Amino acid sequence: MPGRTPGLTACVLLTPWPLEHVRRQHPGVPVAVLSEARRVLQACPLAQAAGVQPGMRDTAALSRCPDLHAEVVPAPEAQAIWAELLEQLGSR
């Protein structure tokens, strides 16, 4: 339409946010987020470089990367993390 400025649309991949949360708690250390079944859901680049891959059991991940900090992010904590992120995005 004439005289109208087109809107801007942004696309943000938020899937690895729980991993980023764990990385912030343990800076400089290879980290991974585990499922309730103790399988790797996400791994940071340091952990991936050591051979940690999504789907592997925590024991296998630790055998490949002994310095790995792997943790399950419980549902209530994950919800709080998402709420905090959305609040931060909304305030900007």
Side-chain angles (χ1 to χ4, degrees):
M1 297 165 84
R4 184 171 168 209
T5 305
L8 298 176
T9 302
C11 181
V12 180
L13 178 62
L14 299 175
T15 309
W17 189 249
L19 178 65
E20 187 58 34
H21 174 72
V22 174
R23 285 177 73 180
R24 289 179 181 186
Q25 291 179 330
H26 305 280
V29 176
V31 298
V33 173
L34 303 175
S35 69
E36 298 286 336
R38 309 292 299 174
R39 291 194 176 269
V40 175
L41 291 175
Q42 303 165 337
C44 75
L46 283 173
Q48 290 176 4
V52 178
Q53 297 296 318
M56 68 175 31
R57 293 190 181 278
D58 61 341
T59 52
L62 285 167
S63 71
R64 293 190 182 187
C65 184
D67 295 332
L68 181 69
H69 176 84
E71 68 179 72
V72 174
V73 178
E77 185 178 342
Q79 289 174 346
I81 293 166
W82 284 112
E84 179 185 337
L85 173 63
L86 293 174
E87 183 178 312
Q88 289 174 1
L89 290 174
S91 68
R92 294 183 184 173

